[in-house]
């Protein structure tokens, strides 16, 4: 936000400078060569001003080095030819929301609460006992869920 304000101020200043300079050039009746030399000097001054840089955050993921890895939109590693399933008995709220279709934060928290109150899920169909998860939601996500204690 601060950089964009600074950029807008610089841009406005340059526009004002250019219009003042063009009026000055017209009043002085400069030749094209003189005008071009002034413009080149101005361009050099602009190049010498510090540029704003943006550092991108890097994310390091460790995988087994013997198998090829592809990166999906969520930046989670996926072994080629094999879909990584979500262990519903150990998954966090964020993992459930990210991996399962049609499951928001409230339903994910309901899954975790149910798991804490009743123990680990023994079958995928046990998710139907969680309030807010119906047959359609379960069917959409059945192949993404695994049950491991």
């Amino acid at each position: 936000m601060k950089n964009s304000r600074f950029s807008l101020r610089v841009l406005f200043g340059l526009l004002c400078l250019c219009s003042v300079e063009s009026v000055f050039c017209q009043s002085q009746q400069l030749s094209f060569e003189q005008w071009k030399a002034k413009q080149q000097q101005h361009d050099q001054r602009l190049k010498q001003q510090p540029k704003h840089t943006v550092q991108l955050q890097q994310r390091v993921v460790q995988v087994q080095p013997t198998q090829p890895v592809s990166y999906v939109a969520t930046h989670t590693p996926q072994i080629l030819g094999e879909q990584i399933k979500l262990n519903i008995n150990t998954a966090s709220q964020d993992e459930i929301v990210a991996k399962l279709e049609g499951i928001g934060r409230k339903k994910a928290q309901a899954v975790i609460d149910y798991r804490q109150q009743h123990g680990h899920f023994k079958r995928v169909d046990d998710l139907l006992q969680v309030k807010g998860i119906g047959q359609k939601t379960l069917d959409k996500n059945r192949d993404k869920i695994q049950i491991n204690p």
Side-chain angles (χ1 to χ4, degrees), residues 88-89 114 118-127 146-149:
I88 202 67
N89 287 323
Y114 184 89
H118 298 93
H120 290 302
F121 295 98
K122 295 184 181 23
R123 301 176 306 132
V124 174
D125 289 332
D126 291 344
L127 281 168
Q146 73 180 14
I147 304 293
N148 286 346

PDB file of all heavy atoms in Angstrom, residues 88-89 114 118-127 146-149:
ATOM      1  N   ILE A  88      -8.581 -38.989   7.766  1.00  0.00           N
ATOM      2  CA  ILE A  88      -9.617 -38.247   8.476  1.00  0.00           C
ATOM      3  C   ILE A  88      -9.446 -38.347   9.993  1.00  0.00           C
ATOM      4  O   ILE A  88      -9.954 -37.511  10.728  1.00  0.00           O
ATOM      5  CB  ILE A  88     -11.022 -38.723   8.024  1.00  0.00           C
ATOM      6  CG1 ILE A  88     -12.075 -37.673   8.306  1.00  0.00           C
ATOM      7  CG2 ILE A  88     -11.370 -40.055   8.633  1.00  0.00           C
ATOM      8  CD1 ILE A  88     -11.938 -36.424   7.493  1.00  0.00           C
ATOM      9  N   ASN A  89      -8.699 -39.337  10.469  1.00  0.00           N
ATOM     10  CA  ASN A  89      -8.498 -39.500  11.909  1.00  0.00           C
ATOM     11  C   ASN A  89      -7.373 -38.624  12.465  1.00  0.00           C
ATOM     12  O   ASN A  89      -7.253 -38.478  13.676  1.00  0.00           O
ATOM     13  CB  ASN A  89      -8.218 -40.968  12.246  1.00  0.00           C
ATOM     14  CG  ASN A  89      -9.472 -41.800  12.130  1.00  0.00           C
ATOM     15  OD1 ASN A  89     -10.561 -41.345  12.472  1.00  0.00           O
ATOM     16  ND2 ASN A  89      -9.337 -43.006  11.629  1.00  0.00           N
ATOM     17  N   TYR A 114     -16.405 -34.388  16.533  1.00  0.00           N
ATOM     18  CA  TYR A 114     -16.983 -35.732  16.570  1.00  0.00           C
ATOM     19  C   TYR A 114     -15.886 -36.766  16.847  1.00  0.00           C
ATOM     20  O   TYR A 114     -16.066 -37.679  17.648  1.00  0.00           O
ATOM     21  CB  TYR A 114     -17.683 -36.040  15.243  1.00  0.00           C
ATOM     22  CG  TYR A 114     -18.386 -37.370  15.240  1.00  0.00           C
ATOM     23  CD1 TYR A 114     -19.712 -37.480  15.659  1.00  0.00           C
ATOM     24  CD2 TYR A 114     -17.729 -38.537  14.840  1.00  0.00           C
ATOM     25  CE1 TYR A 114     -20.354 -38.709  15.673  1.00  0.00           C
ATOM     26  CE2 TYR A 114     -18.356 -39.762  14.854  1.00  0.00           C
ATOM     27  CZ  TYR A 114     -19.673 -39.843  15.275  1.00  0.00           C
ATOM     28  OH  TYR A 114     -20.308 -41.057  15.295  1.00  0.00           O
ATOM     29  N   HIS A 118     -16.086 -39.202  20.039  1.00  0.00           N
ATOM     30  CA  HIS A 118     -16.445 -40.604  19.790  1.00  0.00           C
ATOM     31  C   HIS A 118     -15.263 -41.487  19.422  1.00  0.00           C
ATOM     32  O   HIS A 118     -15.443 -42.675  19.154  1.00  0.00           O
ATOM     33  CB  HIS A 118     -17.494 -40.679  18.671  1.00  0.00           C
ATOM     34  CG  HIS A 118     -18.771 -39.981  19.028  1.00  0.00           C
ATOM     35  ND1 HIS A 118     -19.013 -38.669  18.692  1.00  0.00           N
ATOM     36  CD2 HIS A 118     -19.854 -40.397  19.716  1.00  0.00           C
ATOM     37  CE1 HIS A 118     -20.200 -38.308  19.136  1.00  0.00           C
ATOM     38  NE2 HIS A 118     -20.739 -39.339  19.766  1.00  0.00           N
ATOM     39  N   GLY A 119     -14.078 -40.930  19.329  1.00  0.00           N
ATOM     40  CA  GLY A 119     -12.918 -41.725  18.933  1.00  0.00           C
ATOM     41  C   GLY A 119     -12.741 -41.734  17.428  1.00  0.00           C
ATOM     42  O   GLY A 119     -13.488 -41.098  16.685  1.00  0.00           O
ATOM     43  N   HIS A 120     -11.741 -42.468  16.970  1.00  0.00           N
ATOM     44  CA  HIS A 120     -11.413 -42.496  15.546  1.00  0.00           C
ATOM     45  C   HIS A 120     -12.547 -43.100  14.723  1.00  0.00           C
ATOM     46  O   HIS A 120     -13.283 -43.974  15.187  1.00  0.00           O
ATOM     47  CB  HIS A 120     -10.142 -43.316  15.308  1.00  0.00           C
ATOM     48  CG  HIS A 120      -8.908 -42.638  15.817  1.00  0.00           C
ATOM     49  ND1 HIS A 120      -8.503 -41.399  15.403  1.00  0.00           N
ATOM     50  CD2 HIS A 120      -7.976 -43.046  16.710  1.00  0.00           C
ATOM     51  CE1 HIS A 120      -7.392 -41.060  16.002  1.00  0.00           C
ATOM     52  NE2 HIS A 120      -7.049 -42.045  16.823  1.00  0.00           N
ATOM     53  N   PHE A 121     -12.641 -42.635  13.475  1.00  0.00           N
ATOM     54  CA  PHE A 121     -13.598 -43.213  12.530  1.00  0.00           C
ATOM     55  C   PHE A 121     -13.098 -44.588  12.124  1.00  0.00           C
ATOM     56  O   PHE A 121     -11.902 -44.785  11.898  1.00  0.00           O
ATOM     57  CB  PHE A 121     -13.714 -42.312  11.289  1.00  0.00           C
ATOM     58  CG  PHE A 121     -14.298 -40.956  11.575  1.00  0.00           C
ATOM     59  CD1 PHE A 121     -13.485 -39.855  11.757  1.00  0.00           C
ATOM     60  CD2 PHE A 121     -15.668 -40.783  11.665  1.00  0.00           C
ATOM     61  CE1 PHE A 121     -14.012 -38.605  12.008  1.00  0.00           C
ATOM     62  CE2 PHE A 121     -16.211 -39.539  11.931  1.00  0.00           C
ATOM     63  CZ  PHE A 121     -15.380 -38.441  12.105  1.00  0.00           C
ATOM     64  N   LYS A 122     -14.002 -45.533  12.057  1.00  0.00           N
ATOM     65  CA  LYS A 122     -13.628 -46.893  11.684  1.00  0.00           C
ATOM     66  C   LYS A 122     -13.892 -47.168  10.203  1.00  0.00           C
ATOM     67  O   LYS A 122     -13.252 -48.009   9.595  1.00  0.00           O
ATOM     68  CB  LYS A 122     -14.361 -47.889  12.563  1.00  0.00           C
ATOM     69  CG  LYS A 122     -13.911 -47.744  14.020  1.00  0.00           C
ATOM     70  CD  LYS A 122     -14.536 -48.757  14.914  1.00  0.00           C
ATOM     71  CE  LYS A 122     -14.147 -48.631  16.359  1.00  0.00           C
ATOM     72  NZ  LYS A 122     -13.688 -47.368  16.840  1.00  0.00           N
ATOM     73  N   ARG A 123     -14.872 -46.471   9.634  1.00  0.00           N
ATOM     74  CA  ARG A 123     -15.218 -46.590   8.213  1.00  0.00           C
ATOM     75  C   ARG A 123     -15.460 -45.187   7.661  1.00  0.00           C
ATOM     76  O   ARG A 123     -15.790 -44.271   8.399  1.00  0.00           O
ATOM     77  CB  ARG A 123     -16.508 -47.411   8.028  1.00  0.00           C
ATOM     78  CG  ARG A 123     -16.443 -48.822   8.584  1.00  0.00           C
ATOM     79  CD  ARG A 123     -17.779 -49.560   8.459  1.00  0.00           C
ATOM     80  NE  ARG A 123     -18.868 -48.786   9.079  1.00  0.00           N
ATOM     81  CZ  ARG A 123     -20.043 -48.538   8.495  1.00  0.00           C
ATOM     82  NH1 ARG A 123     -20.304 -48.992   7.305  1.00  0.00           N
ATOM     83  NH2 ARG A 123     -20.961 -47.839   9.116  1.00  0.00           N
ATOM     84  N   VAL A 124     -15.345 -45.045   6.360  1.00  0.00           N
ATOM     85  CA  VAL A 124     -15.597 -43.757   5.721  1.00  0.00           C
ATOM     86  C   VAL A 124     -17.059 -43.356   5.923  1.00  0.00           C
ATOM     87  O   VAL A 124     -17.379 -42.188   6.142  1.00  0.00           O
ATOM     88  CB  VAL A 124     -15.237 -43.805   4.218  1.00  0.00           C
ATOM     89  CG1 VAL A 124     -15.626 -42.513   3.523  1.00  0.00           C
ATOM     90  CG2 VAL A 124     -13.764 -44.083   4.035  1.00  0.00           C
ATOM     91  N   ASP A 125     -17.964 -44.335   5.909  1.00  0.00           N
ATOM     92  CA  ASP A 125     -19.386 -44.045   6.078  1.00  0.00           C
ATOM     93  C   ASP A 125     -19.713 -43.494   7.465  1.00  0.00           C
ATOM     94  O   ASP A 125     -20.787 -42.916   7.663  1.00  0.00           O
ATOM     95  CB  ASP A 125     -20.222 -45.304   5.812  1.00  0.00           C
ATOM     96  CG  ASP A 125     -20.231 -45.658   4.331  1.00  0.00           C
ATOM     97  OD1 ASP A 125     -20.089 -44.731   3.499  1.00  0.00           O
ATOM     98  OD2 ASP A 125     -20.377 -46.847   4.010  1.00  0.00           O
ATOM     99  N   ASP A 126     -18.816 -43.651   8.431  1.00  0.00           N
ATOM    100  CA  ASP A 126     -19.047 -43.088   9.764  1.00  0.00           C
ATOM    101  C   ASP A 126     -19.109 -41.561   9.735  1.00  0.00           C
ATOM    102  O   ASP A 126     -19.637 -40.941  10.655  1.00  0.00           O
ATOM    103  CB  ASP A 126     -17.954 -43.530  10.742  1.00  0.00           C
ATOM    104  CG  ASP A 126     -18.029 -45.014  11.060  1.00  0.00           C
ATOM    105  OD1 ASP A 126     -19.082 -45.636  10.774  1.00  0.00           O
ATOM    106  OD2 ASP A 126     -17.033 -45.549  11.587  1.00  0.00           O
ATOM    107  N   LEU A 127     -18.586 -40.953   8.673  1.00  0.00           N
ATOM    108  CA  LEU A 127     -18.649 -39.488   8.543  1.00  0.00           C
ATOM    109  C   LEU A 127     -20.089 -38.997   8.413  1.00  0.00           C
ATOM    110  O   LEU A 127     -20.366 -37.824   8.674  1.00  0.00           O
ATOM    111  CB  LEU A 127     -17.837 -39.014   7.345  1.00  0.00           C
ATOM    112  CG  LEU A 127     -16.337 -38.934   7.571  1.00  0.00           C
ATOM    113  CD1 LEU A 127     -15.607 -38.748   6.262  1.00  0.00           C
ATOM    114  CD2 LEU A 127     -16.015 -37.801   8.509  1.00  0.00           C
ATOM    115  N   GLN A 146      -9.039 -41.526   3.659  1.00  0.00           N
ATOM    116  CA  GLN A 146      -8.582 -42.822   4.128  1.00  0.00           C
ATOM    117  C   GLN A 146      -8.794 -42.894   5.635  1.00  0.00           C
ATOM    118  O   GLN A 146      -8.827 -41.878   6.317  1.00  0.00           O
ATOM    119  CB  GLN A 146      -7.115 -43.066   3.763  1.00  0.00           C
ATOM    120  CG  GLN A 146      -6.126 -42.276   4.551  1.00  0.00           C
ATOM    121  CD  GLN A 146      -4.700 -42.589   4.127  1.00  0.00           C
ATOM    122  OE1 GLN A 146      -4.469 -43.189   3.095  1.00  0.00           O
ATOM    123  NE2 GLN A 146      -3.754 -42.183   4.935  1.00  0.00           N
ATOM    124  N   ILE A 147      -8.955 -44.099   6.128  1.00  0.00           N
ATOM    125  CA  ILE A 147      -9.169 -44.322   7.559  1.00  0.00           C
ATOM    126  C   ILE A 147      -7.973 -45.091   8.094  1.00  0.00           C
ATOM    127  O   ILE A 147      -7.762 -46.253   7.778  1.00  0.00           O
ATOM    128  CB  ILE A 147     -10.457 -45.145   7.794  1.00  0.00           C
ATOM    129  CG1 ILE A 147     -11.664 -44.473   7.153  1.00  0.00           C
ATOM    130  CG2 ILE A 147     -10.680 -45.369   9.272  1.00  0.00           C
ATOM    131  CD1 ILE A 147     -12.070 -43.166   7.759  1.00  0.00           C
ATOM    132  N   ASN A 148      -7.171 -44.408   8.878  1.00  0.00           N
ATOM    133  CA  ASN A 148      -6.057 -45.043   9.594  1.00  0.00           C
ATOM    134  C   ASN A 148      -6.155 -44.587  11.044  1.00  0.00           C
ATOM    135  O   ASN A 148      -6.331 -43.407  11.293  1.00  0.00           O
ATOM    136  CB  ASN A 148      -4.692 -44.620   9.034  1.00  0.00           C
ATOM    137  CG  ASN A 148      -4.394 -45.259   7.706  1.00  0.00           C
ATOM    138  OD1 ASN A 148      -5.046 -46.194   7.303  1.00  0.00           O
ATOM    139  ND2 ASN A 148      -3.400 -44.740   7.022  1.00  0.00           N
ATOM    140  N   PRO A 149      -6.028 -45.492  11.985  1.00  0.00           N
ATOM    141  CA  PRO A 149      -6.134 -45.080  13.395  1.00  0.00           C
ATOM    142  C   PRO A 149      -4.977 -44.208  13.856  1.00  0.00           C
ATOM    143  O   PRO A 149      -4.021 -43.998  13.261  1.00  0.00           O
ATOM    144  CB  PRO A 149      -6.135 -46.402  14.161  1.00  0.00           C
ATOM    145  CG  PRO A 149      -5.855 -47.468  13.185  1.00  0.00           C
ATOM    146  CD  PRO A 149      -5.876 -46.911  11.832  1.00  0.00           C
TER     147      PRO A 149
END
